[in-house]
Amino acid sequence: MTLLADWLRNQTDDETLASVFIAMADAGAEIAAVLRQAPIAGQTGLAGATNVQGEAQKALDVISNDIVLNHLRPNPHVSILISEELDEAVEVSSQGQFIVATDPLDGSSNLDVNVTVGTIFSILPADGGLLQKGSAQLGAGYVAYGPATSMVLRLVGQTAVFTLGSDGGWTLILGAASVPEASGEYAINTARERFWDSATKGYVTENVAGETGAAGKRYNMRWVGSMVADIHRILMRGGIFLYPLDSETVSKGGRLRLLYEANPMAWLVEGAGGKSTTGRERILDVMPVDIHQRVPVILGSAEEVARVEAWYRKAG
Ligand code: P6P
């Protein structure tokens, strides 16, 4: 049985970097405990405030962000925290060499119906500044608060999966996640069809045609509406996740955020042999212009991502 600290020692000699992963893992374990009790504590209501995206902040969004900060503040190696729940980047330690970007509770609109939500985070070198490409990440991870509490991490090697035990420790259950190259499962919010561009329409129409069309095989569709839940399924059994640019989101650059959703998820999926794209370029190559920038997100099984990219090339 491999514990988190042992795994981290095998991944890096840099104990300062490992300490940031430990801090985020500890925050995830604490958030898991809070979420388990939330309905009893009446914490799933709206906090009343709104975040930089103009979305109503649920009490647990704010609480989760506070928990992350509480675990990062004592760590002298974290210089800055960027968070979906904070309008501006906040300084954590003036001497720190790492930046953490996080969505402390992604998918929180699902909390009231007890669907899996998660904490997503990205670790970047502080000397690169606030706006760095995702390819500069030193590591990334997420915690999925589901039937089991899972944590998926990657430094620069393979993507690994852990489960939180009743003793509060994280146990390695999969040392090298592998996204199958081929899949018959796609994830997209089909209620947005009327906003889709021709490439998305072309790709999904082929999938719906299944074995009777150009794709030549049957497809199934899954959409949880919680990115961590959808991505975890894809990491564990393959598939493709699409939140493409559409006529309603084009003015904002997309729906999902680059620094603390798209980049960490792309890092993790690529570390498991999957691919990530905006439709026109690799997500990890996008140069951010704002810490809360949005991008189109298409990632998962390599063959499916390649099909979508072909549709975008055809669209010109
Ligand atoms: P829609 C949750 O609000 C989120 O940011 C992601 O977790 C999820 O994939 C997406 O939005 C769901 O978007 O348009 O289906 O509600």
Side-chain angles (χ1 to χ4, degrees):
M1 189 167 82
T2 302
L3 298 178
L4 177 59
D6 303 328
W7 180 82
L8 283 168
R9 271 191 289 276
N10 291 333
Q11 296 294 310
T12 179
D13 296 332
D14 183 344
E15 291 179 7
T16 63
L17 177 59
S19 74
V20 181
F21 277 95
I22 297 279
M24 289 307 294
D26 290 347
E30 186 175 342
I31 293 169
V34 168
L35 295 182
R36 275 196 296 273
Q37 294 304 312
I40 297 169
Q43 284 172 317
T44 54
L46 295 180
T50 58
N51 67 14
V52 65
Q53 318 298 348
E55 295 164 343
Q57 273 189 316
K58 291 199 177 289
L60 285 163
D61 284 358
V62 180
I63 292 169
S64 300
N65 194 65
D66 292 345
I67 290 172
V68 167
L69 261 176
N70 292 343
H71 284 271
L72 292 183
R73 283 204 191 285
N75 189 315
H77 307 299
V78 177
S79 70
I80 287 170
L81 175 69
I82 294 167
S83 169
E84 183 198 29
E85 300 306 332
L86 299 171
D87 295 357
E88 306 296 333
V90 296
E91 181 175 272
V92 177
S93 163
S94 58
Q95 306 303 316
Q97 63 268 44
F98 303 112
I99 291 173
V100 174
T102 186
D103 185 349
L105 202 59
D106 182 76
S108 55
S109 57
N110 293 286
L111 281 169
D112 297 345
V113 294
N114 200 28
V115 165
T116 295
V117 296
T119 299
I120 310 170
F121 67 93
S122 167
I123 302 174
L124 294 147
D127 55 18
L130 294 181
L131 303 175
Q132 305 176 57
K133 290 182 180 180
S135 54
Q137 289 175 101
L138 300 169
Y142 64 75
V143 181
Y145 308 107
T149 300
S150 300
M151 181 168 65
V152 175
L153 300 178
R154 181 194 178 207
L155 278 80
V156 291
Q158 291 179 299
T159 300
V161 183
F162 298 81
T163 294
L164 183 64
S166 54
D167 62 353
W170 294 96
T171 299
L172 182 69
I173 58 165
L174 185 59
S178 177
V179 178
E181 281 198 19
S183 173
E185 200 159 67
Y186 66 102
I188 192 168
N189 180 345
T190 54
R192 304 188 60 82
E193 183 175 352
R194 68 184 186 279
F195 304 125
W196 291 347
D197 58 23
S198 62
T200 304
K201 279 182 184 154
Y203 172 72
V204 174
T205 301
E206 267 185 357
N207 290 2
V208 171
E211 61 273 37
T212 67
K217 67 180 182 181
R218 192 172 183 92
Y219 279 80
N220 201 15
M221 206 285 282
R222 287 283 181 274
W223 184 253
V224 179
S226 173
M227 188 183 197
V228 169
D230 281 312
I231 299 298
H232 196 68
R233 183 189 62 252
I234 289 164
L235 261 175
M236 301 308 283
R237 75 183 192 207
I240 183 172
F241 174 96
L242 303 98
Y243 214 113
L245 203 61
D246 64 33
S247 59
E248 194 176 57
T249 62
V250 63
S251 60
K252 293 181 178 175
R255 164 70 193 272
L256 302 177
R257 276 74 67 176
L258 177 60
L259 268 62
Y260 41 79
E261 287 178 322
N263 276 340
M265 289 309 197
W267 188 259
L268 295 167
V269 166
E270 292 197 5
K275 287 187 72 175
S276 73
T277 181
T278 63
R280 300 196 184 279
E281 67 179 305
R282 181 175 177 242
I283 286 174
L284 296 178
D285 294 336
V286 176
M287 187 65 198
V289 295
D290 177 88
I291 62 171
H292 296 296
Q293 177 175 338
R294 298 170 189 253
V295 286
V297 178
I298 298 155
L299 43 76
S301 293
E303 285 181 13
E304 292 307 309
V305 173
R307 277 182 59 217
V308 174
E309 289 174 321
W311 273 103
Y312 272 97
R313 285 194 297 274
K314 193 187 303 182

